[in-house]
Amino acid sequence: MKPETIAIHVGYDGDPTTKAVAVPIYQTIAFEFDSAEHGAALFNLEVQGNIYTRIGNPTNTVLEKRIASLEGGVEALSVSSGMAAIEYSLINIVETGSNIVSLPQLYGATYTLLAHIFPKRGITTRFSASDDPQDVEELIDDNTRAVYCESIGNPAGNVADLEGLARVAHQHGVPLIVDNTIATPILLRPIEYGADVVVHSMTKFIGGHGTSLGGMIVDSGNFPWRSYPEKYYMLNRPEIAYHGVVYVEHYGKAAYVARCRTVCQRNTGATLSPFNGFLLLQGVETLALRVERHVENARQVAEYLRDHPAVEWVNYAGFPDNPLYSMAQRYLGSQRCSLLTFGVKGGFEAGKKCFNAFHLFKRMVNMGDAKSLACHPASTTHRQLTPEEQLKVGVTPEMIRLSVGIEHIDDIVEDLSQALEQAKETTAEAVALTIGGVECR
Ligand code: PLP
């Protein structure tokens, strides 16, 4: 099946009891056992079935199957947010004394998790000097357990060289974990380029309506965990946290995601609510259509901004003179994501005026919504980073990030036009851009 069809049908054949065509919301915490023996068999992993929603829920199972299929993976685990997906994808195989090698261009909370929170648990992250796979390779050593990147960096917009990163990671016996939130499997499927695990914030494009947090971890089933019994002993030896199961033996290709579910999620509980699972399923059904419109609207917005006299610069990977162009061309073909950044002439004060003047664009930190959204990363999503860290992850102080929505393009351009008009009227008063109380220089 093609993605458009997968997004609507995979994982659900209708409800045999009620004949419901829409996926039901199984808003229940637990599931009844037929007998003590049945319960024991479920716990012993001898039969398949539902036990308790913290471990799995039938509504969420449909979503898991659908996203796994869209990404070309063998199995997936849904969790309560994108950040939970990122944390679980790593703590499943990384522990005290080991390290992660990451590209530097990351979403702010991911950067904070890797740079400031994991080190407190004895896990270090080595950020490469650039997104060149050679720079990444230099940092990998015997204690490296994962190479991490975003397929399209938020908000830098860089498209990662997934093939190159997978090659260097695999040469050193390490999996490549890719956050595919911005690209979505409609624009890019990292597993096709060698990624071993794909994570998502479904909160964004997959949901598409700005109503529900959710995350997903997709296992490609391709990483040879058995070849590294010492390094990935947690998948190769009896698991004390789950009935002594040996994941690679019991779950085969889905060993990694099975451990995510039964150790990480079962014991720390960042579970997706079935209600959110249902809402996210509504989003998935129209993902391909929405992405098509997002992409086209963003292209027109980028062209409009580039030609506007009040705009200093536009970072859009669709312009042939943009440094991101060739990598984007290689991995996204003629399409580009709908996230772009720009700077207004007149510095911080002009930027602030433009930002404050939006009517249609909502001033907020989300992205991937049907609605057009504007964000000032330096004062919001990346605010907890120092100015040096901000530059490292691709954030400049004056940068305004747009998540171009699926409204009519004329209305989107009209809003940009009136906001930029107000910015043009900025006098030379030397006021720094202060948004959310942060002064940007
Ligand atoms: N990954 C990326 C690329 C993001 O942009 C975000 C949030 O903006 C996340 C992960 C975190 O997702 P969530 O808000 O669902 O925890």
Side-chain angles (χ1 to χ4, degrees), residues 81-83 86 107 150 154 179 181 201 203-204 213-214 367:
S81 70
M83 288 317 300
I86 293 165
Y107 164 60
E150 293 175 4
N154 174 16
D179 180 337
T181 298
S201 166
T203 315
K204 318 293 177 195
L213 284 165
M367 62 182 186

Side-chain angles (χ1 to χ4, degrees), residues 408-423:
H408 196 287
I409 186 64
D410 293 352
D411 295 321
I412 294 175
V413 167
E414 169 67 31
D415 194 36
L416 284 166
S417 159
Q418 64 80 25
L420 286 166
E421 204 50 44
Q422 298 202 32

